[in-house]
């Protein structure tokens, strides 16, 4: 029987993957660079595959290294969860978290499940509002932590996930072929709305804003019913939607950056724990697309790596 993988080696491996540098990883894990190099040689010998390749001054993961990374994160998380289950000094208290409803729908199940299993004595209070409202709640001390759409103007957040922002329409309607495009957007201060309008204006496309709402449910309904086109991050795609691209006459949009904002709190250890769980959860949540099966299985997709959405890709209907 083969010996189990070394968790210390996996922690170092994750640090190298995250920083792109053996030197910075050595600082994070408090080891010398030579010790880190030795750990990775032993890990590669244990796996039997090369895990890194040089790209300039950066150490890039090989295909085998990228495959190992998701397993390594899961093993380290399970280790922490196991230790927490036997920790008599486990965290206790209440934490207030906010998130827009489009992120809540896709991300909260995984985040809440992971955090609650490790911290069963912590009560989560969750509110769903658009990012501008969450930023104000953070500033006023009404929230301990918020998962937001990153915007350099509104306030600094720690970016934990980056996704393409996509033009979407109904797979069952030709809404995008109308001369004057009907659009569904968030409120005027929504950065996705501003990005979309800028692209349409630059292309001299005729459009009218037919629906405005801070609710992702309303925007999704307008798109799926064939009443409007909208822009959504990849995580917000739903069955029955079609992704539009340049071949359809829609220009490229900037990426959506998802970040964590922290408020002033008397329990920073709880906030730090939840922020770590959010970052790890978002690393493990994949794109909600099942090209091979034509169906959605969110449980099976929890750790799967799916293909990126492509223009003209149609998501299976409900």
């Amino acid at each position: 029987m083969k010996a189990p993988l070394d968790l210390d080696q996996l922690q170092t491996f994750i640090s190298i993957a995250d920083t792109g540098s053996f030197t910075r990883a050595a600082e994070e894990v408090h080891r010398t660079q030579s010790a880190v190099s030795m750990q990775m040689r032993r890990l590669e010998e244990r796996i039997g595959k090369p895990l890194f390749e040089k790209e300039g001054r950066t150490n890039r993961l090989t295909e085998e290294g990228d495959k190992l990374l998701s397993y390594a994160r899961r093993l380290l998380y399970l280790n922490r969860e196991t230790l927490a289950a036997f920790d008599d000094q486990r965290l206790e208290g209440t934490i207030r978290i906010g998130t827009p409803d489009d992120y809540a729908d896709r991300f909260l199940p995984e985040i809440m499940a992971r955090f609650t299993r490790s911290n069963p004595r912590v009560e989560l209070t969750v509110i769903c509002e658009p990012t501008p409202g969450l930023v104000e709640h953070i500033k006023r001390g009404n929230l301990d932590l918020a998962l937001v759409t990153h915007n350099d103007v509104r306030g600094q957040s720690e970016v934990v996930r980056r996704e393409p922002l996509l033009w979407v329409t109904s797979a069952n309607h030709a809404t995008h072929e109308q001369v004057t495009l009907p659009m569904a957007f968030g409120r005027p201060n929504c950065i996705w709305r501003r990005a979309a309008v800028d692209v349409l204006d630059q292309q001299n496309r005729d459009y009218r804003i037919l629906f405005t709402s801070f609710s992702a449910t309303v925007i999704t309904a307008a798109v799926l019913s064939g009443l409007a086109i909208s822009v959504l991050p990849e995580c917000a795609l739903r069955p029955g939607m079609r992704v539009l691209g340049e071949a359809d006459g829609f220009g490229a949009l900037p990426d959506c950056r998802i970040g964590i904002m922290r408020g002033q709190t008397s329990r920073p250890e709880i906030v730090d724990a939840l922020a770590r769980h959010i970052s790890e959860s978002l690393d493990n949540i994949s794109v909600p697309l099942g090209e091979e099966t034509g169906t959605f299985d969110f449980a099976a997709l929890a750790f799967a790596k799916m293909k990126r959405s492509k223009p003209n890709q149609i998501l299976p209907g409900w």
Side-chain angles (χ1 to χ4, degrees):
M1 181 178 176
K2 292 185 177 181
L5 293 170
D6 186 296
L7 293 180
D8 286 337
Q9 292 176 1
L10 293 178
Q11 181 63 70
T12 301
F13 170 70
I14 292 171
S15 295
I16 296 171
D18 289 343
T19 64
S21 165
F22 276 59
T23 302
R24 290 196 293 273
E27 295 172 355
E28 284 194 359
V29 300
H30 307 292
R31 294 178 184 270
T32 64
Q33 187 171 344
S34 59
V36 165
S37 298
M38 177 62 72
Q39 278 189 308
M40 292 305 96
R41 281 197 295 271
R42 289 176 177 170
L43 182 59
E44 288 182 325
E45 290 172 359
R46 184 71 187 82
I47 296 296
K49 304 284 185 180
L51 301 175
F52 298 97
E53 57 187 7
K54 294 289 289 185
E55 189 175 81
R57 296 185 177 182
T58 302
N59 291 281
R60 190 171 68 86
L61 292 179
T62 61
E63 184 177 346
E64 290 80 8
D66 192 56
K67 181 179 179 181
L68 176 62
L69 183 60
S70 63
Y71 286 106
R73 294 193 194 278
R74 291 160 62 187
L75 287 169
L76 267 294
Y77 171 76
L78 184 59
N79 179 67
R80 284 196 294 270
E81 183 179 314
T82 302
L83 293 174
F86 296 92
D87 184 3
D88 292 332
Q89 304 299 319
R90 283 180 289 181
L91 296 175
E92 295 185 44
T94 301
I95 184 169
R96 303 162 300 173
I97 175 177
T99 178
D101 59 351
D102 38 11
Y103 297 160
D105 184 52
R106 186 71 184 99
F107 298 141
L108 268 189
E110 176 80 3
I111 292 169
M112 293 172 69
R114 280 173 163 262
F115 185 74
T116 301
R117 283 198 299 266
S118 296
N119 304 279
R121 299 178 185 175
V122 176
E123 176 187 345
L124 286 176
T125 298
V126 183
I127 69 168
C128 291
E129 287 190 20
T131 290
L134 297 176
V135 172
E136 287 303 311
H137 281 307
I138 287 287
K139 291 178 179 178
R140 295 172 183 173
N142 298 329
L143 286 176
D144 301 304
L145 185 147
L147 188 64
V148 300
T149 301
H150 180 83
N151 184 343
D152 294 327
V153 176
R154 289 193 187 120
Q156 189 61 40
S157 66
E158 174 192 353
V159 176
V160 292
R161 186 177 174 101
R162 185 185 295 267
E163 295 191 353
L165 189 61
L166 304 167
W167 298 98
V168 292
T169 187
S170 167
N172 301 312
H173 302 82
T175 315
H176 62 290
E177 296 178 0
Q178 295 184 28
V179 176
T180 300
L181 300 173
M183 307 301 301
F185 289 136
R187 291 183 291 188
N189 58 350
C190 173
I191 62 173
W192 300 343
R193 171 174 172 157
R194 292 202 298 268
V197 166
D198 286 345
V199 171
L200 292 173
D201 288 342
Q202 290 167 10
Q203 295 184 305
N204 294 318
R205 298 294 300 271
D206 289 331
Y207 66 92
R208 62 191 179 101
I209 299 175
L210 193 60
F211 299 98
T212 296
S213 176
F214 66 82
S215 169
T217 301
V218 173
I219 300 300
T220 297
V223 171
L224 291 176
S225 63
L227 295 175
I229 299 166
S230 191
V231 290
L232 294 174
E234 200 166 46
C235 66
L237 296 178
R238 295 293 180 268
M241 288 182 178
R242 175 183 170 187
V243 177
L244 300 169
E246 292 184 4
D248 303 294
F250 292 85
L253 294 161
D255 281 350
C256 166
R257 293 176 293 169
I258 302 172
I260 292 174
M261 291 192 73
R262 302 170 186 244
Q264 297 297 322
T265 176
S266 59
R267 299 299 305 275
E269 68 279 7
I270 299 181
V271 174
D272 289 342
L274 180 56
R276 184 176 66 249
H277 278 267
I278 290 174
S279 181
E280 292 175 351
S281 294
L282 267 57
D283 275 339
N284 286 318
I285 293 175
S286 55
V287 181
L289 296 176
E291 290 181 332
E292 292 78 12
T293 63
T295 60
F296 273 48
D297 183 352
F298 288 108
L301 290 178
F303 295 112
K305 274 186 161 299
M306 304 300 292
K307 298 177 182 177
R308 286 294 185 190
S309 309
K310 301 177 180 64
N312 290 323
Q313 182 166 1
I314 295 175
L315 283 71
W318 292 106

